[in-house]
């Protein structure tokens, strides 16, 4: 499983910017919605599911295993306080993607043992998207990669300008939100990040 550009989105950014980003070449898109009803979350997930099919991307649902299952998403991303990876795998089966948040080497090792397909680790930089995010050091990140040798996506305030830092440490991919969706031209930011992947040998 190879991860490159992982877009974290919600519909507050607007459908037009999400569509532009997908068209420009996003590999994975995680739907992360807050403060909406379960019914609306499902509606948005189902709508996005149809959208990503047109662009060859994969849809991941943040936190909500039920929404991931009901919407037919490709996977789910689970935080430390969500349904445990091991239990999620029982419902999801082997054919679906399960990602897990890992901020420490111990969390990373456990997630790998429990069957996670990839990890998301950060926060690398300050971010307006998740203001309570705790910064991660390069030392801790390298230890996470060592203890859990599965794909790891760097997350937290990532942009085209600073994305080289986690890639130098060995990140498999970059999870970006406002760094793309807040831009006047999201497609241009997608292209810049893809150029980073080429520079660090992450592109096929």
């Amino acid at each position: 499983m190879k991860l490159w550009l992982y877009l974290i989105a919600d519909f507050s950014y607007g459908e037009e910017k999400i569509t532009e980003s997908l068209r420009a070449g996003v590999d994975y898109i995680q739907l992360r919605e807050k403060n909406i009803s379960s019914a609306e979350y499902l509606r948005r997930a189902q709508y996005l599911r149809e959208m990503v099919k047109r662009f060859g991307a994969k849809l991941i649902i943040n936190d909500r295993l039920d929404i991931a299952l009901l919407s037919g998403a490709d996977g789910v991303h689970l935080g430390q306080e969500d349904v445990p990876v091991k239990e999620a795998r029982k419902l999801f089966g082997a054919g679906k993607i399960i990602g897990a948040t890992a901020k420490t080497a111990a969390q990373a090792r456990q997630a790998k043992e429990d069957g996670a397909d990839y990890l998301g680790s950060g926060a690398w930089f300050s971010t307006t998207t998740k203001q309570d995010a705790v910064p991660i050091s390069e030392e801790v990140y390298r230890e996470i990669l060592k203890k859990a040798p599965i794909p790891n996506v760097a997350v937290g305030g990532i942009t085209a300008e600073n994305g080289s830092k986690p890639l130098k440490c060995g990140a498999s991919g970059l999870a970006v939100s406002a760094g793309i969706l807040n831009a006047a031209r999201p497609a241009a930011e997608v292209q810049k990040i893809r150029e980073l992947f080429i520079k660090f040998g992450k592109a096929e």
Side-chain angles (χ1 to χ4, degrees), residues 121-158:
S121 298
W124 273 88
F125 308 98
S126 60
T127 170
T128 57
T129 307
K130 201 169 185 180
Q131 296 183 1
D132 61 344
V134 178
I136 194 171
S137 69
E138 289 188 31
E139 182 181 6
V140 169
Y141 190 70
R142 291 180 190 278
E143 187 66 15
I144 286 172
L145 296 180
K146 181 180 178 182
K147 296 295 184 182
I150 58 177
N152 189 295
V153 180
V155 62
I158 304 287

Side-chain angles (χ1 to χ4, degrees), residues 7 10 30 33 35 45-46 48 54 63 72 75 87 98 110 113 115-116 118-119 124 139 165 168 178 192 197 201-202:
L7 181 68
D10 64 68
Q30 180 194 118
E33 296 282 4
N35 304 316
Q46 290 171 329
L48 192 56
R54 303 203 305 269
D63 293 346
E87 301 305 316
I98 296 181
Q110 189 64 56
E113 290 175 357
Y118 75 91
L119 301 175
W124 273 88
E139 182 181 6
K165 186 176 180 181
K168 285 178 182 177
K192 289 178 187 176
F197 292 134
K202 302 291 183 181

